[in-house]
Amino acid sequence: MKKTLIVLTLISVLFLTACSSPADTETTPEESSIQNISTPTEATTSVDILEFKFVPDTLEINVGESVIWEHNDKVTHKIVFPAFESDNMERGDTFTHTFDTSRTYEYYCSIHPTMRGVIVVK
Amino acid sequence: MFNPIFKKAFLVATVTIILDFLFHFFLTNPMESITYFVIKFLLAFTVATGLFSFRIFTKSKHKLLIIFLTGLIFSALMSIYYRAWELGEAHVPFGSRAPDITGIPRNILILFSGTWLLGHALFFTLGGYISEKLFEDKNN
């Protein structure tokens, strides 16, 4: 019993050590840690999907403007609004929607429900 | 008031979920949904109930090993649920749903999947060990 416990403890320590070692990951663009709200310019009516986040997570646009979601992440995502949704998106895919009604739209990724965003249409 | 097996299984499930939550919180991204943790709790409880009900376990001298093997079964069942959801409901590639793990490259599938499998099994094992010790001490 004691030997088995020691072996399991060693496995746990190795496991936790492996998990805390520096990641060999792709370089990602720097992001602000503060929740970012973007007001529209020609360059900011797009939302980047990266590192399981929508960047910016809150975007303000005017009625009639379009938003382009650009998938730059490693895994499949799917954008879901109450009234419409995208197809499953892979890296490199885009999804565009034109917002014709002034209101606040909340959306999320149906595959990773903690990924959430807001489009504020003025 | 409650059956001892129920109490032991409840403790196993509770410890498993606490450890799993801490792992997800500190070492993975994004965080999992509440539904995920609820399902995992129920599965851990069910598996632990089955474990403590078996005579092979109650009579065995290698209880910790049996708990660990049961933990692997629990972990495998959780993975099956995940993959079934990915393939059957969401129609997304294998592994799409799983969060990133700090320090574990996602593209080395055996390492990535193996970490999830072994991690969940270890959480269950620790829960089982604590449960056995606690109720063993109470019986003494």
Side-chain angles (χ1 to χ4, degrees):
Chain A
M1 183 88 161
K2 263 190 179 176
K3 282 183 185 176
T4 311
L5 178 61
I6 290 169
V7 169
L8 284 174
T9 304
L10 282 173
I11 292 171
S12 303
V13 168
L14 283 170
F15 167 72
L16 287 169
T17 306
C19 287
S20 63
S21 60
D24 181 24
T25 57
E26 301 168 21
T27 305
T28 57
E30 285 184 6
E31 298 169 343
S32 168
S33 58
I34 300 169
Q35 180 179 354
N36 38 23
I37 300 174
S38 289
T39 49
T41 65
E42 281 191 15
T44 57
T45 50
S46 65
V47 175
D48 199 13
I49 305 174
L50 184 67
E51 298 288 315
F52 294 95
K53 291 188 189 75
F54 296 113
V55 182
D57 55 10
T58 302
L59 181 65
E60 292 182 1
I61 61 173
N62 297 317
V63 170
E65 288 187 353
S66 298
V67 177
I68 303 170
W69 282 265
E70 299 174 346
H71 189 312
N72 292 306
D73 207 351
K74 299 181 286 287
V75 298
T76 309
H77 294 292
K78 181 169 182 169
I79 298 163
V80 175
F81 284 79
F84 59 92
E85 60 189 34
S86 70
D87 293 330
N88 287 339
M89 297 175 68
E90 304 294 338
R91 189 182 185 95
D93 289 346
T94 60
F95 171 69
T96 305
H97 186 81
T98 304
F99 293 86
D100 295 323
T101 306
S102 173
R103 55 169 280 200
T104 298
Y105 296 81
E106 294 181 359
Y107 65 98
Y108 64 99
C109 171
S110 64
I111 301 169
H112 312 97
T114 54
M115 283 177 66
R116 294 181 175 269
V118 178
I119 305 293
V120 179
V121 184
K122 293 184 173 178
Chain B
M1 183 181 169
F2 292 108
N3 183 301
I5 292 176
F6 174 91
K7 286 192 269 190
K8 287 175 72 175
F10 187 86
L11 183 57
V12 171
T14 302
V15 171
T16 301
I17 290 309
I18 289 172
L19 292 174
D20 191 47
F21 178 84
L22 291 173
F23 173 72
H24 276 274
F25 186 80
F26 288 110
L27 294 174
T28 74
N29 175 60
M31 190 54 168
E32 276 290 0
S33 61
I34 291 178
T35 306
Y36 167 89
F37 289 110
V38 169
I39 288 172
K40 182 165 274 185
F41 180 90
L42 293 173
L43 182 63
F45 177 79
T46 305
V47 171
T49 302
L51 169 68
F52 296 132
S53 303
F54 271 119
R55 251 196 196 174
I56 293 173
F57 175 77
T58 55
K59 302 288 182 190
S60 172
K61 292 179 183 176
H62 306 286
K63 287 187 175 176
L64 194 55
L65 180 61
I66 295 175
I67 291 172
F68 177 67
L69 293 173
T70 308
L72 287 174
I73 293 171
F74 155 75
S75 189
L77 288 172
M78 195 68 197
S79 292
I80 289 171
Y81 155 74
Y82 237 50
R83 304 309 155 232
W85 183 88
E86 281 180 344
L87 297 173
E89 186 169 326
H91 308 292
V92 293
F94 179 87
S96 296
R97 177 73 170 80
D100 281 341
I101 307 172
T102 303
I104 305 291
R106 198 179 190 96
N107 56 356
I108 305 176
L109 200 57
I110 291 176
L111 179 63
F112 185 71
S113 297
T115 302
W116 283 115
L117 184 74
L118 188 60
H120 291 145
L122 284 174
F123 302 152
F124 184 94
T125 303
L126 280 167
Y129 176 74
I130 291 168
S131 182
E132 271 297 295
K133 275 294 175 189
L134 200 64
F135 283 86
E136 181 185 62
D137 289 344
K138 276 193 173 181
N139 288 336
N140 291 339

